């Protein structure tokens, strides 16, 4: 679900994903030579940036829901929290969080829910274990919310948190954003993320599939590349764009044969390079369909509330206020292309002045800077 570029001293890391939070890890080539550096619950519900009247009348009927969501269409952005997806994980994350009690307790709660020592894997690895879909997703969710608490603990941090008027996350990061916005509790969100990772892994194990990052082409050219590949492989092996990350960086998902044809043809379409993503399978495509029913069942039994600030969906780059709509969107997210490029463009058009990337890595900061060098992005690790 998430291909990302890890900026690490000009090396391409094969430990990906943040592309749509794909439940596995993807990695995008380091941007160095190619791009500029792309390189709780203590979560407070104090601030209500859109009028209470819009948010509280929780809606359960479809027609009301659409009206409710329409009321968010004119949202403005000043400060935004942006949460990474799979691929951003790195050995050592979570260590700093142990110095802040409100952050450290999140790992203790996580251990009870997950049944293993998450902090130990985050801090000590091994890398192969941390990069697995079933562990990297919970690890990123917990560490990113721990980063919120690190920010809260620093001077002026509470004021920054209160100033945030929109939030979003890449793939898996959408769950983190919803937790920050109070749509569900830290615990309920972690249970969903745990199940999501397991369901995506199982779907990947059922049918062989893969993802590849195509670097250096616009989205139209990548689509043409996919069309050309699909003419040479059977239906079950076909490919599609799964992650619209940013200009020049799109991830393609599909059957193994289809992906191999994409890799073979990429140079003839003038791509700079392709990077096979280290993920379990073809995230954000119909290959993940077996995961949908499991997610739907888990979401149906989860208490989801109207977020206190707009949370931008990966599926359609729009905020949603109605809890039932949010549940439907999250179930669709694993099979839908990640609309991250549109999300960032929309935030910029709506006035984004300052963004904060909360959690490990600087993937999102790199993407935003690639699209608008003047936007200020601060990284808050844990």
């Amino acid at each position: 679900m998430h291909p990302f570029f890890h900026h690490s001293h000009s090396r391409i890391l094969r430990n990906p994903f943040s592309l749509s939070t794909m439940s596995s890890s993807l990695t995008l080539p380091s941007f160095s030579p190619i791009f500029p550096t792309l390189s709780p619950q203590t979560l407070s519900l104090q601030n209500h940036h859109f009028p209470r009247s819009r948010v509280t009348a929780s809606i359960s009927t479809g027609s009301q829901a659409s009206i409710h969501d329409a009321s968010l269409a004119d949202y403005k952005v000043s400060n935004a929290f942006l949460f990474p997806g799979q691929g951003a994980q790195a050995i050592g994350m979570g260590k700093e969080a142990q110095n802040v009690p409100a952050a450290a307790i999140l790992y203790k709660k996580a251990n009870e829910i997950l049944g293993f020592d998450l902090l130990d894997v985050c801090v000590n690895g091994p890398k192969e274990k941390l990069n697995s879909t079933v562990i990297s997703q919970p690890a990123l969710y917990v560490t990113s919310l721990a980063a919120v608490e690190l920010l809260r603990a620093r001077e002026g941090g509470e004021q920054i948190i209160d100033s945030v008027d929109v939030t979003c996350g890449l793939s898996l990061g959408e769950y983190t954003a919803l937790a920050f916005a109070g749509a569900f509790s830290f615990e309920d969100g972690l249970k969903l993320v745990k199940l999501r990772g397991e369901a995506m892994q199982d779907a990947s194990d059922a049918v062989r599939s893969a993802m590849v990052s195509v670097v250096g082409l616009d989205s139209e050219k990548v689509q043409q590349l996919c069309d050309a590949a699909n003419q040479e492989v059977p239906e079950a092996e076909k490919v599609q764009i799964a992650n619209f990350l940013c200009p020049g960086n799109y991830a393609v998902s599909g059957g193994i044969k289809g992906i191999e044809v994409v890799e073979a043809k990429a140079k003839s379409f003038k791509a700079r390079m392709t990077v096979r993503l280290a993920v379990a399978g073809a995230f954000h495509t119909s290959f993940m369909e077996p995961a949908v029913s499991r997610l739907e069942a888990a979401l149906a039994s989860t208490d989801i509330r109207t977020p206190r600030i707009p949370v931008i969906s990966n599926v359609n780059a729009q905020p949603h206020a109605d809890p039932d709509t949010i549940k439907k969107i999250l179930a669709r997210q694993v099979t839908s292309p990640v609309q991250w490029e549109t999300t960032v463009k929309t935030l910029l058009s709506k006035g984004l002045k300052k963004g904060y990337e909360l959690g490990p890595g600087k993937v999102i900061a790199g993407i935003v800077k690639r699209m608008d060098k003047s936007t200020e992005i601060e990284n808050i690790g844990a």
Side-chain angles (χ1 to χ4, degrees), residues 15 88-93 120-128 130-131:
N15 108 1
Q89 69 275 359
I91 300 293
M93 69 184 200
D120 180 62
V121 182
C122 287
V123 174
N124 302 311
K127 186 173 73 169
E128 294 70 25
L130 179 60
N131 286 349

Side-chain angles (χ1 to χ4, degrees), residues 150-345:
L150 261 70
L151 174 59
R152 193 192 306 279
R154 86 182 195 194
E155 188 176 353
E158 192 76 60
Q159 288 72 19
I160 291 172
I161 291 169
D162 288 346
S163 75
V164 173
D165 37 27
V166 174
T167 185
C168 56
L170 189 51
S171 194
L172 174 277
E174 186 170 338
Y175 285 77
T176 320
L178 285 163
F180 170 72
F184 41 67
S185 69
F186 168 80
E187 292 84 355
D188 284 350
L190 182 56
K191 289 172 187 173
L192 288 172
V193 166
K194 176 179 184 288
L195 179 137
R196 182 179 186 266
E198 292 168 349
M200 291 176 77
Q201 182 65 55
D202 290 346
S204 299
D205 291 343
V207 180
R208 289 187 71 229
S209 61
M211 291 188 76
V212 65
S213 177
V214 179
V215 179
L217 298 181
D218 62 25
S219 56
E220 188 177 348
K221 274 287 190 188
V222 177
Q223 184 58 55
Q224 291 171 9
L225 173 59
C226 289
D227 293 343
N230 287 338
Q231 289 175 2
E232 299 188 11
V233 297
E235 189 67 35
E237 296 285 344
K238 291 199 170 177
V239 298
Q240 70 177 71
I241 300 177
N243 193 354
F244 293 83
L245 198 58
C246 64
N249 193 348
Y250 301 94
V252 172
S253 281
I256 298 288
K257 287 180 182 171
I259 293 295
E260 289 173 347
V261 176
V262 166
E263 292 169 333
K265 288 182 174 292
K267 287 290 185 191
S268 66
F269 279 78
K270 303 291 192 288
R272 288 204 176 118
M273 65 192 299
T274 60
V275 179
R276 184 74 69 97
L277 298 174
V279 295
F283 297 139
H284 299 290
T285 69
S286 59
F287 282 85
M288 291 296 108
E289 194 63 41
V292 174
S293 57
R294 290 170 64 181
L295 266 173
E296 285 175 337
L299 287 159
S301 61
T302 300
D303 178 23
I304 294 187
R305 302 173 290 278
T306 298
R308 62 189 173 84
I309 57 175
V311 179
I312 313 304
S313 162
N314 281 280
V315 172
N316 59 11
Q318 298 291 325
H320 300 283
D322 175 54
D324 287 338
T325 301
I326 292 170
K327 290 181 181 185
K328 290 185 179 77
I329 287 279
L330 288 178
R332 285 176 53 201
Q333 193 221 47
V334 291
T335 56
S336 300
V338 177
Q339 302 296 335
W340 191 251
E341 181 179 347
T342 301
T343 295
V344 175
K345 281 182 180 172

Side-chain angles (χ1 to χ4, degrees), residues 92-98 103-104 107-108 110-111 114 116-125 130 139 142-143 382:
M93 69 184 200
K95 191 171 184 179
E96 192 183 346
Q98 303 315 299
Y107 290 90
K108 292 186 174 65
N111 293 348
L114 299 172
F116 64 87
D117 190 340
L118 179 67
L119 179 65
D120 180 62
V121 182
C122 287
V123 174
N124 302 311
L130 179 60
V142 175
T143 302

